[in-house]
């Protein structure tokens, strides 16, 4: 009988311990090769003040918050503070007030990225207080490394400046303090134009760490000297306009084209005609920049790849974002609002500036009552047992990871029931 009890307990434990890996496999999904679940859509415009942590973002590496906004600090090898939005946008404009981190080998990153590795970047090297780099990737392709460009940006480590990405179906625009420094049209992208739902990601990392490849260290300006740190990037505020509407975005097929993207409860808006008719020429390109963030590549830390030990835990990582709970919404200030607090209606607000909106497409509207599918809130189950000496004790089952998908919920409940049953049988036997 005791062997049976041990078997039941082992089975229950195995069911629970298997959840982090299963949840991560579920959420780490490339829509170009797999059938993936829809993702949460922002579907409106939000203004986020980073003087305190925003629940619209998932963080790793412990960013800190204060009057100067969020600080992303690297003090030693392995430090990699970063945040990623719980929601996605489908074309839009993003403005960030940011002060880059100093230090040879340091890299400050602000970028948009999709699940199929479309990417639009701003990056600052700590060894260069006078320039910033723009870059883009389509579907994670790295057949060439000449897409990046340098732009004058004096004093980027000394004061907060505003950096903008305007992203439509017709054009990508990079701006510094409201001045356009680069544009990209699909025809000029070598078939690598970013065009799928994007998360917002921000963070700092040590490109000059000795664990990186020689090419990455060279691109980052050289080896980092941690004794001269700590090194901090600061982000004061963020404004995000999602040009499309709805509560979820999904891939209609595996083509990775924007025309294949579907909206639940709204529509996909392309963003209208080009913002800039004539763009400044790119006079200085970037060569040797590391490849874009690839979840399958655990050897690189560019930009936010956790180490191998993190991959087997329930720690939030690139593939473990819990998203918005069902019925919750995002306020105009970026606060995640539960159903009981959400207003019944919300006034319509244009998400697309009139100069960018297509005459044939309505502007996006704020939808404070939007709902998305997401994982259940983490739950801790306490099971009381009576031991042979009649001393009552309480055993706590580890919390169910918040990133568990609906497809995995039956396994969660089975694991909990089996473990609870094992304690019940044990108390009867003893």
């Amino acid at each position: 009988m005791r062997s049976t009890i041990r078997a039941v307990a082992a089975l229950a434990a195995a069911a629970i311990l298997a959840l982090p890996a299963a949840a991560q496999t579920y959420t780490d999904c490339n829509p170009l090769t797999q059938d993936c679940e829809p993702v949460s859509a922002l579907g409106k415009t939000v203004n986020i003040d980073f003087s305190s942590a925003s629940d619209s973002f998932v963080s790793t590496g412990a960013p800190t918050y204060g009057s100067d906004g969020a600080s992303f600090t690297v003090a030693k090898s392995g430090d990699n503070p970063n945040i990623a939005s719980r929601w996605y946008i489908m074309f839009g404009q993003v403005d960030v007030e940011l002060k880059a981190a100093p230090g040879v080998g340091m890299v400050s990153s602000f970028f948009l990225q999709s699940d199929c590795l479309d990417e639009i970047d701003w990056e600052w090297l700590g060894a260069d207080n006078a320039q910033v780099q723009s870059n883009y990737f389509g579907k994670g392709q790295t057949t060439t490394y000449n897409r990046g460009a340098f732009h004058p940006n004096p004093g980027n480590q000394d004061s907060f400046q505003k950096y903008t990405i305007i992203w439509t179906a017709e054009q990508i625009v990079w701006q510094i303090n409201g001045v356009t420094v680069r544009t990209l049209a699909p025809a000029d992208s070598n078939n690598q134009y970013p065009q799928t739902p994007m998360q917002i990601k921000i963070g700092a990392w040590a490109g000059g760490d000795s664990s990186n490849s020689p090419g990455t260290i060279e691109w980052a300006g050289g080896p980092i000297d941690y004794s001269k740190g700590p090194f901090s990037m600061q982000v004061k505020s963020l404004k995000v306009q999602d040009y499309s509407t709805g509560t979820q975005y999904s891939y209609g097929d595996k083509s990775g084209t924007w025309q294949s993207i579907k909206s639940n409860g709204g529509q996909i808006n392309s963003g209208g005609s080009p913002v800039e008719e004539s763009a400044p020429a790119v006079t200085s390109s970037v060569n040797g920049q590391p490849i874009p963030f690839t979840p399958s590549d655990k050897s690189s830390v560019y930009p936010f790849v956790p180490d191998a030990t993190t991959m087997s835990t329930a720690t939030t990582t690139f593939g473990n974002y819990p998203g918005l709970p069902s019925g919750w919404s995002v306020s105009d200030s970026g606060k995640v609002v539960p159903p009981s607090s959400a207003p019944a209606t919300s006034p319509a607000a244009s998400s697309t500036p009139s100069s960018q909106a297509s005459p044939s497409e309505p502007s996006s509207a704020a939808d404070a009552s939007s709902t998305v599918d997401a994982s259940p809130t983490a739950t801790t189950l306490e099971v009381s047992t009576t031991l042979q000496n009649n001393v009552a004790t309480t055993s706590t089952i580890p919390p169910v990871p918040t990133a568990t998908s609906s497809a995995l919920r039956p396994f969660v409940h089975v694991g909990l029931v089996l473990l609870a049953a094992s304690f019940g049988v044990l108390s009867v036997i003893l």
Side-chain angles (χ1 to χ4, degrees), residues 248-269:
Q248 293 177 313
Y249 298 134
S250 59
Y251 289 69
D253 56 36
K254 294 181 173 60
S255 67
T257 61
W258 74 267
Q259 294 90 343
S260 70
I261 304 302
K262 308 297 182 183
S263 172
N264 179 13
Q267 68 179 48
I268 303 300
N269 296 324

Side-chain angles (χ1 to χ4, degrees), residues 18-31 33-40 88 115 248-249 295 311 317-324 372-376 401-412:
L19 287 173
Q24 187 157 302
T25 300
Y26 167 77
T27 55
D28 183 15
C29 186
N30 189 329
T33 59
Q34 301 169 264
D35 293 325
C36 302
E37 292 292 320
V39 296
S40 302
Y88 292 64
D115 290 344
Q248 293 177 313
Y249 298 134
M311 300 303 296
T317 67
F318 63 83
N320 193 24
Y321 300 126
L324 302 179
V372 295
D373 290 334
S375 309
T402 58
T404 305
S405 70
S406 58
L408 292 173
R409 291 174 189 169
F411 298 101
V412 177

